[in-house]
Amino acid sequence: MKIGISKSLESAMAQAVFNTAQVGTRCSLKDCLMLQILAAEGSKAFNVLKSMLQDWQLHQVRLRLERVAYRMGHDTASPDLFYKGYSERLIERFGGEGRVSTIHAVTDILEDTTTQSSRIFALYNITAEQFVMQVERSENREEREYEVAPAT
């Protein structure tokens, strides 16, 4: 069975590559990916982050990240090659859980303390560990909602 990436993560990566090419500068490619995940308001990762932050805080995170993502770049790989390699690393790391999604990318980005994303989210007391715990809580809540009550 071949493990792949979700359509929402694939879309976020494609948009990040396009935006990076449009800007014409080097940026932190993980931070650019985080910006795209935050812009894709239907993704699982966005929904988890939204449950952890108020709307105005989420907006502030986007603004702070936009301000630094394109100025603080340090990635030397071309965006296409970076995201191809990054996809493979995510599949290698999280592939045992099925399809790799935005949840896995955000977890990885928040764990990487060299990213501006992890630093900005830390200002709002969101770390990779807290994010993963919130994901587990939301999955448990979804499972309980789908359980069928016994007939009486």
Side-chain angles (χ1 to χ4, degrees):
M1 177 173 107
K2 185 174 183 207
I3 304 296
I5 62 173
S6 70
K7 291 294 181 189
S8 58
L9 180 56
E10 185 178 17
S11 174
M13 286 183 175
Q15 190 63 46
V17 168
F18 177 76
N19 288 350
T20 303
Q22 291 295 97
V23 172
T25 60
R26 294 282 181 224
C27 69
S28 169
L29 297 173
K30 283 186 178 182
D31 289 329
C32 292
L33 177 58
M34 178 64 86
L35 274 172
Q36 292 311 309
I37 291 170
L38 291 173
E41 295 186 2
S43 72
K44 289 180 182 179
F46 177 83
N47 292 334
V48 171
L49 290 169
K50 187 173 172 127
S51 73
M52 298 174 79
L53 294 169
Q54 296 178 9
D55 288 341
W56 68 270
Q57 291 173 315
L58 200 51
H59 182 69
Q60 286 296 314
V61 167
R62 280 187 197 140
L63 291 176
R64 287 174 184 236
L65 194 51
E66 284 172 355
R67 193 174 329 129
V68 296
Y70 294 104
R71 290 187 316 191
M72 302 295 289
H74 51 71
D75 294 322
T76 56
S78 76
D80 290 335
L81 294 176
F82 173 82
Y83 289 121
K84 183 176 182 342
Y86 188 61
S87 298
E88 291 168 359
R89 283 193 302 277
L90 288 175
I91 290 169
E92 184 178 305
R93 181 174 174 199
F94 298 107
E97 299 176 24
R99 185 173 288 278
V100 176
S101 71
T102 56
I103 295 284
H104 302 106
V106 169
T107 301
D108 184 71
I109 292 168
L110 292 177
E111 285 176 344
D112 183 354
T113 57
T114 64
T115 64
Q116 292 298 316
S117 298
S118 69
R119 293 176 185 157
I120 291 169
F121 276 103
L123 295 172
Y124 296 89
N125 297 317
I126 295 179
T127 62
E129 294 80 21
Q130 291 167 324
F131 178 76
V132 169
M133 287 187 334
Q134 185 68 21
V135 167
E136 290 169 358
R137 273 187 233 124
S138 103
E139 287 174 352
N140 289 338
R141 192 170 36 250
E142 287 175 10
E143 285 176 12
R144 283 193 309 272
E145 289 174 3
Y146 290 114
E147 288 179 3
V148 177
T152 54

